[in-house]
Amino acid sequence: MSASSKSAKPEISTVSYSQAPKSHIPSSDVPFNKHHHQKKTVSDWVVDSIITAIIILIVAAIIYPLWFIIIASFSDPKYVATGQVTLWPKGVSLSGYAQILQDSRIWIGYRNTIIYSVVGTAVNLLVTIPASFALSRKEFRPRRVIMFLFAFTMFFSGGLIPSYLLMKQLHLLNSMWVFILPGAFGVYNMIIARSFFETSIPEELHDAAKVDGLSYFGFFMKVVLPLSSAIIAVIGLYCFVGHWNDYFTGLIYIRNQDQQPLQNVLQMILLANQTDQGSVGMTAAQSQNLGDQIKFGIIIVSTLPLLVIYPFLQKYFNKGVMIGAVKG
């Protein structure tokens, strides 16, 4: 083989990108639809329509009774009694509200219920949240035994008569503390909060807190509580609604009229109105119609504060329930 052939290098054919076949060049002119999906068929439209109709019916079945109560409380009782009030108020009349609000006991009931609800909710949070955090720590060895004892109370109770005797021995009868102390600790709320702490508070945060020299109390106050606004709002809402709607406690344990909650006061107003039916200057039918309007007005008066508070806590409510329900 000659030297020239040895020194000769094989020729490499270079083809510029512009000379390459167009079929091998990715074209940017071809449209790319990231949201490409198959076209809906007739059966898909039918199914979607049925589901939409069912949802609309469910929403209407939930909303309409509340809407009817609202418009009926503002309508003339005779139109409500004859079924002429369906979607809009007719013959606006405030006689039911006037009958309710002219009773001075309702303001005392409002005051008592607000105090019982606010103080009771604060005590519930003060007791439930720390206990839930302690029971969520794996290094707390007696937690399973304590959880069993707490859960046992959810299935068994002493009954009404032993509970009454216990309240009497504790001198809680005719006292605001009978609304607060017996139900200060809720096992169901504790389970929700404990699940939240177990699933949503990383253990690495506790390790970092120990490196910084924080105790369990410091870790709970400075790290856990700021990250638990959702579950605190959820449990606070549960407890507040429970205290606000508490009717049985006042009925059994309270005899002093000045300490009755709103629910019991509204019951007394309704019973007094039914007793006074057929009073002077009013026929039996008119008295019955007014009594029905008072019933509607009582529902609005007792639920209005909750309807005002709930929208502000709804986002925390949804978030907290989903996070706390991941594990039991």
Side-chain angles (χ1 to χ4, degrees):
M1 184 179 293
S2 62
S4 61
S5 62
K6 290 181 179 180
S7 60
K9 297 180 179 179
E11 296 181 359
I12 301 175
S13 61
T14 58
V15 179
S16 64
Y17 186 77
S18 61
Q19 295 176 348
K22 291 184 178 181
S23 59
H24 299 287
I25 302 176
S27 174
S28 60
D29 297 334
V30 179
F32 179 69
N33 186 7
K34 295 186 294 183
H35 303 285
H36 178 73
H37 55 82
Q38 294 181 351
K39 187 177 180 180
K40 287 186 176 182
T41 62
V42 176
S43 59
D44 293 334
W45 285 107
V46 172
V47 172
D48 291 345
S49 301
I50 294 175
I51 294 175
T52 303
I54 293 175
I55 293 175
I56 292 175
L57 290 175
I58 294 175
V59 172
I62 295 173
I63 293 179
Y64 180 74
L66 179 61
W67 173 247
F68 177 78
I69 290 173
I70 294 175
I71 61 177
S73 66
F74 285 100
S75 300
D76 193 316
K78 65 181 180 181
Y79 294 122
V80 178
T82 55
Q84 300 182 40
V85 177
T86 54
L87 293 177
W88 306 106
K90 188 172 182 180
V92 177
S93 172
L94 300 177
S95 56
Y97 287 102
Q99 190 76 13
I100 297 172
L101 298 179
Q102 73 180 3
D103 196 324
S104 60
R105 293 177 297 174
I106 194 171
W107 305 113
I108 299 175
Y110 254 119
R111 180 202 64 189
N112 294 337
T113 298
I114 291 174
I115 294 175
Y116 302 156
S117 300
V118 173
V119 177
T121 301
V123 172
N124 289 138
L125 294 176
L126 187 63
V127 174
T128 303
I129 299 299
S132 304
F133 172 73
L135 293 174
S136 69
R137 304 304 305 170
K138 296 180 180 179
E139 58 270 25
F140 183 53
R141 294 183 178 179
R143 67 174 189 149
R144 296 189 180 277
V145 177
I146 296 176
M147 275 299 304
F148 172 77
L149 296 177
F150 281 150
F152 186 84
T153 63
M154 299 179 67
F155 300 99
F156 302 96
S157 64
L160 179 59
I161 296 177
S163 298
Y164 183 88
L165 296 176
L166 177 62
M167 297 301 112
K168 184 177 181 180
Q169 291 177 358
L170 295 176
H171 304 288
L172 294 179
L173 299 182
N174 291 318
S175 170
M176 65 170 287
W177 298 108
V178 75
F179 293 93
I180 299 171
L181 295 181
F185 186 83
V187 179
Y188 177 76
N189 294 332
M190 182 273 294
I191 294 175
I192 295 177
R194 188 201 63 161
S195 301
F196 175 87
F197 292 138
E198 289 180 343
T199 58
S200 301
I201 304 298
E203 186 62 26
E204 290 77 10
L205 291 178
H206 183 237
D207 297 336
K210 287 195 298 185
V211 172
D212 293 337
L214 284 178
S215 62
Y216 276 107
F217 182 78
F219 173 64
F220 174 73
M221 295 297 296
K222 297 182 179 180
V223 179
V224 175
L225 284 184
L227 297 177
S228 306
S229 59
I231 197 64
I232 291 175
V234 170
I235 294 180
L237 183 61
Y238 281 160
C239 296
F240 188 87
V241 172
H243 286 291
W244 187 273
N245 293 330
D246 190 1
Y247 163 79
F248 190 74
T249 301
L251 183 66
I252 300 298
Y253 302 116
I254 301 296
R255 291 293 177 266
N256 189 352
Q257 299 295 327
D258 293 335
Q259 294 180 328
Q260 291 283 0
L262 177 64
Q263 309 299 334
N264 299 97
V265 171
L266 294 177
Q267 182 214 21
M268 289 187 291
I269 294 175
L270 183 61
L271 293 177
N273 178 264
Q274 292 177 347
T275 304
D276 295 339
Q277 285 185 5
S279 57
V280 179
M282 184 180 298
T283 64
Q286 291 175 338
S287 180
Q288 177 64 37
N289 293 339
L290 181 60
D292 293 337
Q293 192 178 35
I294 289 177
K295 292 179 184 178
F296 296 132
I298 283 175
I299 295 174
I300 299 301
V301 169
S302 61
T303 58
L304 184 61
L306 299 181
L307 296 177
V308 173
I309 293 174
Y310 182 78
F312 297 99
L313 298 177
Q314 183 178 7
K315 61 178 182 179
Y316 299 105
F317 180 80
N318 296 334
K319 181 180 178 182
V321 167
M322 294 304 297
I323 293 175
V326 173
K327 292 183 179 180

